[in-house]
Amino acid sequence: MAYNLFNHIQGKNGSRWAQFIKETGTENLLLVAIDAAKYTHKAMIATFYGDIIVKPFEFDSSLTGFEILKKKIQIEVERMGMKAVVVGIETTGHYYEDLVRSCFSERYHVRILNAATTAREREALLNWSKTDNLDLMAILQSIIHGRGTSNELPSGGVHTLQKLTRARRELVQEQTATKNLIRVYVDHIFREFQGKSVWTKGKREHVQPLSDLWGKSSRYLMRHCLHPSDILSLGKEGLRALSIRKNLKLRDQSIECLVNYAKQSISQPKEFVEAEQFLLIQSLDRLDLVEKQIRLLERKIEDLFVQTEGVVIISVPGIGVVTGAELYAEMGDISDFDHAGQLIKMAGTNPIVKQSGGKRPSYYAISKQGRRSFRNITYQVGKSLAANNPEMKQKYLALKDRGKLTGQAYIALGNRMIRLAFSMIKHQTLYRTDNPDYVLYDQIYKKLHIANVKKFYEKFVVPAQIA
């Protein structure tokens, strides 16, 4: 019997589960609920009707422990003449992953359950307590009700890319936190180094001595002569000589501004901020290390991304290598999706609709019921497209004219990009536009290193020209 997305209330996932139940028969199913943990797992074996065959027991999270689980399952399968084993495992951190792989290798039918699903089942038991045994009952109930998914754990290039892009995002967050810490230390040592408010032609204006706080010249001064007393001891001539000697490229205007701000600084004497100066140098070292790691990760991401089918989306103006790789990684393997709307729902950027009694539907905020990391990159993609893609910018302005908030418009463009990316990846096509200024080579050349530009053309452009 064929199934499709619409012949079950739980969609394709529900259709597959229902088909499996019909073909096997509920009386022939042995259910195993597993509560995964770091060192010791707990399991319970029951029938599809909820009759407990083997009471909750523990087994360690090693191959030895899994062999104990297998033996208990095999004994009950032979004793009761069961045809299939269904194992339900809750997604507890990353501890469940080895169990899932091992169960798939034994050809068990695995149901992976979200922790939120089992939490709802515990609520249905009208018991606010939480124990390992209650968790096992909730997992068992979830299996019986057809909850969870039967997909194998992600693997291959897409999964590796997801690990790398998420690691990069964590590093970027660390970079931001470190920069904020540096700003605090600079405030203690020389507050005016980051600029101050001055009156210019009757208007208050924020004036910075250096245009880029994170540039080469700023970082050198922060390390070696940040305190106002250091600036004043060097003076204008000393700063010019330092600039030439260290190739800092300090402009005369910046030098004059630094000296004037140092004279008027409210900062404490140098001997009182020695701790802040020490911590500042440590934070600058940490920032250099994090930025180096980010650069290495980005190159690794590019080299891997260009080998995947998802790299076609960098032909879209406004989608860079890292942004495109992160979007593709969060989308994952699209072969199991029928349309892009399913991906949008997985991101949690689908609008909430409320309609009843024949009234017109009302659209509220996005659901936020999907994957947060996917939702974040969807927003960032929309923001980038609004600024760097001429066609998407027009759509962004049209959304703003309709009264949409900036964030809503970014999400709408991000959803639009998910639909576009789904189609491009599925059909392996490049970006198409009527914009006369669009040149594919320019888009690829400015985003990829030369060696990867060649790989991209050999994979997607040359075959199309031959065809």
Side-chain angles (χ1 to χ4, degrees), residues 4 14 45 48 56 123 125 127 186 284 311 394 415 434 465:
N4 58 53
I45 302 176
F48 188 84
E123 289 178 9
L125 293 172
N127 193 330
V186 171
L284 287 168
V311 75
Q394 293 302 315
N415 285 344
D434 296 328
Q465 290 175 344

Side-chain angles (χ1 to χ4, degrees), residues 304-316:
L304 179 59
F305 188 33
V306 80
Q307 299 175 37
T308 68
E309 59 182 8
V311 75
V312 291
I313 64 178
I314 68 168
S315 62
V316 179

Side-chain angles (χ1 to χ4, degrees), residues 312-336:
V312 291
I313 64 178
I314 68 168
S315 62
V316 179
I319 301 295
V321 172
V322 173
T323 305
E326 192 168 352
L327 177 64
Y328 174 63
E330 293 302 332
M331 289 171 63
D333 183 4
I334 66 169
S335 61
D336 200 40

Side-chain angles (χ1 to χ4, degrees), residues 76 86 199 342 351 412:
E76 298 308 322
V86 180
W199 287 94
Q342 294 167 311

Side-chain angles (χ1 to χ4, degrees), residues 119-131 134 137:
R120 297 294 175 270
E121 290 295 344
R122 281 197 304 273
E123 289 178 9
L125 293 172
L126 300 179
N127 193 330
W128 290 99
S129 300
K130 185 184 185 304
T131 65
L134 284 175
M137 292 180 186

Side-chain angles (χ1 to χ4, degrees), residues 222-262:
M222 283 191 283
R223 279 184 180 276
H224 300 97
C225 49
L226 178 61
H227 195 268
S229 63
D230 297 328
I231 300 294
L232 292 175
S233 64
L234 284 168
K236 294 180 182 179
E237 294 304 319
L239 285 170
R240 287 192 185 94
L242 180 65
S243 176
I244 293 169
R245 189 167 65 251
K246 298 297 182 180
N247 193 28
L248 301 181
K249 298 180 181 179
L250 290 172
R251 296 175 299 173
D252 288 343
Q253 183 182 353
S254 297
I255 291 173
E256 187 172 347
C257 189
L258 276 171
V259 173
N260 289 337
Y261 283 5

Side-chain angles (χ1 to χ4, degrees), residues 304-375:
L304 179 59
F305 188 33
V306 80
Q307 299 175 37
T308 68
E309 59 182 8
V311 75
V312 291
I313 64 178
I314 68 168
S315 62
V316 179
I319 301 295
V321 172
V322 173
T323 305
E326 192 168 352
L327 177 64
Y328 174 63
E330 293 302 332
M331 289 171 63
D333 183 4
I334 66 169
S335 61
D336 200 40
F337 295 93
D338 293 320
H339 56 83
Q342 294 167 311
L343 286 168
I344 292 171
K345 188 175 181 181
M346 187 170 74
T349 54
N350 54 308
I352 298 172
V353 185
K354 293 190 177 180
Q355 187 269 337
S356 179
K359 296 180 180 179
R360 291 182 63 183
S362 299
Y363 295 85
Y364 292 80
I366 59 174
S367 70
K368 293 187 179 180
Q369 291 181 315
R371 197 186 298 158
R372 179 182 293 180
S373 53
F374 194 180
R375 190 159 57 253

